Amino acid sequence: MTKYIAPSMLAADFANLQRDIEMVNNSNADWFHIDVMDGVFVPNISFGMPVISAIKKHATKTMDVHLMIVDPDRYIEDFKKVGADILTVHYEACTHLHRTLQAIKAAGMKAGVSLNPHTPIAVLEDVINDIDVVLIMSVNPGFGGQSFIENTYKKVQQLKALIEFAEAETLIEVDGGVTDQNIEKLLEAGVDAFVAGSFVFKSENPTATINNLKSLVSI
């Protein structure tokens, strides 16, 4: 199966955003990971529709949009309009998760669900066949540059077992603290898509860093 590298644009240089978008376009990355934060669900505020629309104008790869916001249902159509290909909502922010997933798919996007570090895998048992991507947070959501939470490996293994038991086709994505030191262990645990922010954009050569991560998960 294809494995995906998704540089997190939250760690890009916003004063040189087009440059960093072109860098990702020209690298071996697969997705643009775009974090949307509202200052309510998480204690930080990131970019909204105008910036995502601007990224879409230049991006040539999949737009993987991760909503860390309350009441995401209000904005599903808006995120489709600005170019999201995958739209991921937080389990913790959705009162009627099944309905939210159906609305995302009806809008023409792949549907993702993200789990905070404290949220158990079991909450997805009844909807796993409706989910295209499960995004496991390996740090607490809201800020970049945090340390990786070691319990993530066990959580990925539990999710992989659930997916296989349900005969689902759901991809497993991990976001937070991914580096060349833990990516192979994450791959072994069952991860399909790897979000890397600070590790990529704060490196001396981001293109080489992306290409190296891709080579480590290409079997």
Side-chain angles (χ1 to χ4, degrees), residues 90-104:
H90 266 263
Y91 165 82
E92 302 84 3
C94 295
T95 306
H96 304 287
L97 181 59
H98 181 266
R99 185 167 67 195
T100 303
L101 293 169
Q102 298 307 310
I104 293 169

Side-chain angles (χ1 to χ4, degrees), residues 4-79:
Y4 305 92
I5 301 297
S8 175
M9 301 310 291
L10 188 66
D13 180 352
F14 288 1
N16 293 284
L17 194 52
Q18 185 177 349
R19 179 202 66 192
D20 284 357
I21 294 166
E22 296 295 350
M23 182 277 294
V24 174
N25 283 339
N26 294 321
S27 74
N28 288 335
D30 303 282
W31 299 349
F32 284 86
H33 186 80
I34 300 168
D35 289 309
V36 178
M37 306 178 187
D38 62 0
V40 180
F41 182 71
V42 290
N44 198 8
I45 297 173
S46 65
F47 29 65
M49 311 296 179
V51 175
I52 296 171
S53 184
I55 293 172
K56 181 66 175 178
K57 286 179 185 173
H58 301 284
T60 59
K61 299 179 177 181
T62 297
M63 298 272 283
D64 174 33
V65 178
H66 174 198
L67 303 185
M68 288 177 260
I69 66 175
V70 298
D71 198 11
D73 298 74
R74 290 174 56 195
Y75 303 102
I76 289 171
E77 291 290 342
D78 294 320
F79 282 105

Side-chain angles (χ1 to χ4, degrees), residues 134-145:
V134 174
L135 174 57
I136 300 291
M137 292 304 300
S138 44
V139 297
N140 285 293
F143 294 95

